Amino acid sequence: MHKNILAPFPGKEFCLFVFCHLLFGTEAACSGGGSPKSPAEVRWPAVAVEPRLLPASWTTKRHCTLYDGQHSTLSGVCHIPMAEPFCTKTREVLIETAKKLGLQCHSKGTMITIEGPRFSSRAESLMFRSWGADVINMTTVPEVILAKEAGMSYASIAMATDYDCWKEHEEAVSVDKVLKTLKGNANKATSILLTAIPQIGSMEWTDTLHTLKLLPRVQECEAQEQLRITLRQHGRQEKRIGM
């Protein structure tokens, strides 16, 4: 496998914007990552369709908004809610598909995204484990945030490839080890997507996508209205001071 683009810099903002406005509004992404859980807790390689997200501050170099004030991006400021990062409807399809295919599937979990390209230190891995993280990877952030801003139905299929490096008597994560497990995981991901995509295509998404696309606009309008109220209040205070 030849890789020449770092995880933080794949031009995700542009790709997601194009997907949203030119092609379709539903996307299922696949990722591999380490697990800070024990073999009894997560028997990998397993499928996890993430309903929750812990976007830690270990990602510092990524553009996490489509509203960053640049000429080529959307105007305004969008305070997008992220309580439920992934699309519930898309997740349900993926979970049911995995179950029908007989794949071991964890229907909930917490993912933490690190900057990369380096792997975690043992201290970091133990810390993520103490936080209750289920999967550690180098993707999903900012994709899930950008998809939310773009009004897309977005879900993630995470496939654990290793136990990171928190287990002292277990071989630490390495590129060779990850790639070896990824080959087996690729068949699972392919089978899930090939089965789920036709079902997604046959479903009615008008109301779901309308709600998703409306969300960032509502947030932007609310922020602008709050700004106007604040400015008006500030202006009245200045007049009173001037009197």
Side-chain angles (χ1 to χ4, degrees), residues 74-185:
L74 300 175
S75 60
V77 176
C78 181
H79 299 284
I80 197 75
M82 292 298 293
E84 297 293 336
F86 300 100
C87 175
T88 302
K89 189 173 180 178
T90 305
R91 284 190 63 255
E92 289 175 352
V93 174
L94 296 175
I95 291 171
E96 289 302 316
T97 299
K99 290 179 178 179
K100 289 178 181 178
L101 293 173
L103 299 176
Q104 180 186 357
C105 177
H106 302 279
S107 60
K108 61 181 181 179
T110 298
M111 175 189 293
I112 187 164
T113 301
I114 62 175
E115 188 70 83
R118 70 170 179 86
F119 294 118
S120 303
S121 67
R122 179 165 285 113
E124 290 170 328
S125 187
L126 288 170
M127 180 177 63
F128 298 149
R129 176 173 165 79
S130 72
W131 287 358
D134 297 287
V135 179
I136 305 169
N137 70 1
M138 298 180 192
T139 58
T140 308
V141 176
E143 297 95 320
V144 66
I145 303 171
L146 299 175
K148 197 84 166 180
E149 288 189 344
M152 294 180 62
S153 170
Y154 187 92
S156 174
I157 304 172
M159 297 191 170
T161 57
D162 54 84
Y163 291 115
D164 204 32
C165 62
W166 63 270
K167 294 185 68 177
E168 293 187 7
H169 302 294
E170 182 86 10
E171 181 184 356
V173 59
S174 66
V175 173
D176 291 338
K177 188 175 182 179
V178 169
L179 292 179
K180 182 179 179 180
T181 310
L182 272 177
K183 290 180 180 179
N185 281 348

